[in-house]
Amino acid sequence: MKTLIFILALILNFGYTSAQEKLLEKGMESGKVEKGTYYKTQDNLLNKFIGVWQNEIDGKTFSLKIYKEKTLLKSHGVYIDVLKGLYCYSTVKCNFDNLDASLRRSESSIEMLEKGKVEFRVKDIKLEKLANVNFEILDNGSAKWVLFSRF
């Protein structure tokens, strides 16, 4: 029985030490990251972007759904929070099952997030094109986004 308790304690201790979580902060140097660590972004920096954003354009609704996802950066061996998204452009309500495109992971610094700005890479499935989207939260709580074609 003592052996079983010792083994369970050892397993629990190993699980705790191998899954470290650190708060991502301004000025952290990327060369000093610890592999396997989850560098969590402060919720107040990301939560303002999360949700469904909509706009009417020529009788169609452009809907953009932004969500947060914990992602492994293979090049550094660490986990970070990234914003991802889906969009559709339709005359009917978008349910995000039949997608026009997806926003790949966000490319933004903490300084940009503090200013209410985020940049995404976009792959348009129908047009088979790549682009960038700059998304910004305005002072009145609305948002604006600008699409920049890459090709």
Side-chain angles (χ1 to χ4, degrees), residues 13-50:
N13 185 38
F14 179 77
Y16 177 75
T17 57
S18 65
Q20 292 183 346
E21 182 177 303
K22 293 186 177 184
L23 192 61
L24 189 62
E25 297 175 2
K26 269 198 275 188
M28 289 181 82
E29 295 180 29
S30 62
K32 295 184 179 180
V33 297
E34 298 173 32
K35 288 191 178 203
T37 301
Y38 171 32
Y39 288 92
K40 183 174 175 50
T41 305
Q42 295 174 7
D43 287 338
N44 66 337
L45 292 177
L46 298 181
N47 287 350
K48 60 188 162 197
F49 297 99
I50 295 172

Side-chain angles (χ1 to χ4, degrees), residues 115-129:
K115 293 177 183 175
K117 298 179 181 182
V118 67
E119 185 173 306
F120 295 97
R121 290 183 194 162
V122 179
K123 180 175 182 186
D124 191 296
I125 296 166
K126 289 182 180 177
L127 299 177
E128 297 181 5
K129 299 249 181 200

Side-chain angles (χ1 to χ4, degrees), residues 80-101:
I80 62 168
D81 292 320
V82 296
L83 293 172
K84 291 188 173 185
L86 306 168
Y87 75 79
C88 73
Y89 183 57
S90 178
T91 55
V92 297
K93 183 178 178 182
C94 297
N95 61 10
F96 298 103
D97 290 334
N98 186 9
L99 301 176
D100 294 324

